[in-house]
Amino acid sequence: MEHILGDEWSITPAGGSTGEAYYAKKKEGKRLFLKRNSSPFLAVLSAEGIVPKLVWTKRLESGDVITAQDWMEGRELEPEEMSHPRVAELLSKIHYSKELLDMLMRLGKTPLSPADILTDIINDLALTPRLRHHAGVQKAIAYLQENCFSIDDADCVVCHCDTNHNNWLLSEDEYLYLIDWDNAMVADPALDLGMLLYFYVPEEHWAEWLTYYGIKATDELYGKMKWYAISQLLAFIQWHDMREEEDEVAHRLYLLEKVI
């Protein structure tokens, strides 16, 4: 990575699960966030002001693509801050952006249906026998099977698919960003709403939060949110189990029982 920028830059890993992100700092103080093989989707996210500004993109001889974004001084949101109206407003902007949807569709993303999600979860469970026989997991699968529903592709939007509080960046000048778009999909907006509301917003405040988002709370919406919250928890449980992160698995199993 050093040969791309030159000797005047110092580069350090930025952490994360992929090991493909880096901090770069120039001697006079300029800083960049570098990432290997980011999606071309990053350009339109930058243009929409949803992620920090994209500075440049370079393709290496190996075929890898390196992107550089402005390094933004700020912090991730605290869990209790996820109830704030600006979170609802930014998520609504993302979900109902025609530009974002058009770009993701051009990149080959097709609408993700609940049936697709359920099939993937069941197939992945075949690789984790210990989880497959866990009573809480079996109960969750039964719920998803009994309550699986169809969606109208015309109602699908760009979903981030990981609205965890540590993916929301608040800059020093109080500008809010949503980062880490590697798992973005075209899906029912209830996919993002379910994870966010179930895990961060007290239920008695859901209807108010949704007014800031721009829609009215309904029993149908709440049913979809519950379905997606359960399905995402199962996916995260499987992911942490494969990484042998026992504490995270136990925590997610606890949350799964609460949601059901």
Side-chain angles (χ1 to χ4, degrees):
M1 190 68 72
E2 285 78 0
H3 70 279
I4 298 171
L5 295 177
D7 294 338
E8 68 271 24
W9 291 85
S10 62
I11 299 175
T12 56
S17 59
T18 63
E20 297 289 338
Y22 306 86
Y23 302 124
K25 184 176 181 180
K26 208 170 186 178
K27 290 177 181 178
E28 64 265 26
K30 181 175 177 59
R31 286 188 284 179
L32 296 172
F33 175 75
L34 307 179
K35 194 164 185 181
R36 189 187 304 271
N37 296 330
S38 288
S39 167
F41 192 44
L42 187 64
V44 68
L45 290 167
S46 171
E48 293 283 307
I50 292 162
V51 300
K53 182 181 177 182
L54 180 64
V55 180
W56 50 255
T57 299
K58 294 184 180 180
R59 181 174 293 278
L60 308 182
E61 290 182 2
S62 65
D64 287 345
V65 175
I66 306 298
T67 54
Q69 292 170 264
D70 278 337
W71 173 254
M72 197 63 57
E73 286 293 346
R75 62 174 179 83
E76 65 184 37
L77 289 187
E78 298 294 336
E80 58 271 16
E81 292 178 301
M82 297 290 284
S83 297
H84 197 281
R86 63 186 166 197
V87 173
E89 291 162 0
L90 179 54
L91 190 60
S92 180
K93 174 184 176 180
I94 292 164
H95 281 174
Y96 299 104
S97 167
K98 186 177 184 300
E99 290 76 15
L100 293 182
L101 182 59
D102 287 348
M103 172 58 82
L104 209 53
M105 295 289 280
R106 286 201 299 271
L107 292 173
K109 297 289 188 180
T110 56
L112 182 67
S113 72
D116 294 332
I117 293 172
L118 182 54
T119 297
D120 287 344
I121 289 172
I122 291 174
N123 288 342
D124 288 344
L125 276 175
L127 305 175
T128 54
R130 183 174 66 89
L131 284 180
R132 187 170 69 245
H133 299 296
H134 187 282
V137 171
Q138 291 181 330
K139 185 177 179 181
I141 292 293
Y143 179 89
L144 294 182
Q145 290 172 328
E146 292 167 10
N147 294 279
C148 195
F149 54 92
S150 298
I151 56 171
D152 185 342
D153 289 354
D155 296 329
C156 287
V157 303
V158 169
C159 287
H160 182 273
C161 299
D162 187 7
T163 53
N164 191 291
H165 70 97
N166 55 27
N167 283 329
W168 297 80
L169 175 65
L170 186 65
S171 69
E172 284 188 337
D173 59 0
E174 295 291 306
Y175 195 92
L176 185 62
Y177 299 97
L178 181 56
I179 60 174
D180 195 356
W181 282 86
D182 291 346
N183 298 316
M185 297 294 297
V186 176
D188 188 315
L191 188 155
D192 280 343
L193 293 171
M195 180 178 180
L196 196 155
L197 291 176
Y198 263 99
F199 305 146
Y200 292 110
V201 181
E203 190 169 353
E204 61 269 23
H205 296 153
W206 285 4
E208 180 184 11
W209 192 97
L210 288 167
T211 63
Y212 291 113
Y213 173 84
I215 61 174
K216 184 178 180 180
T218 65
D219 289 341
E220 180 184 11
L221 175 62
Y222 284 172
K224 287 183 175 183
M225 284 166 42
K226 181 175 181 178
W227 196 97
Y228 283 114
I230 291 171
S231 68
Q232 284 188 298
L233 274 172
L234 283 172
F236 283 128
I237 288 167
Q238 291 169 332
W239 189 77
H240 289 298
D241 184 72
M242 288 188 291
R243 293 166 61 90
E244 298 182 350
E245 296 171 346
E246 297 297 330
D247 289 346
E248 284 294 334
V249 170
H251 176 61
R252 303 279 182 171
L253 285 170
Y254 167 74
L255 292 176
L256 184 65
E257 186 64 31
K258 286 186 65 177
V259 173
I260 295 175

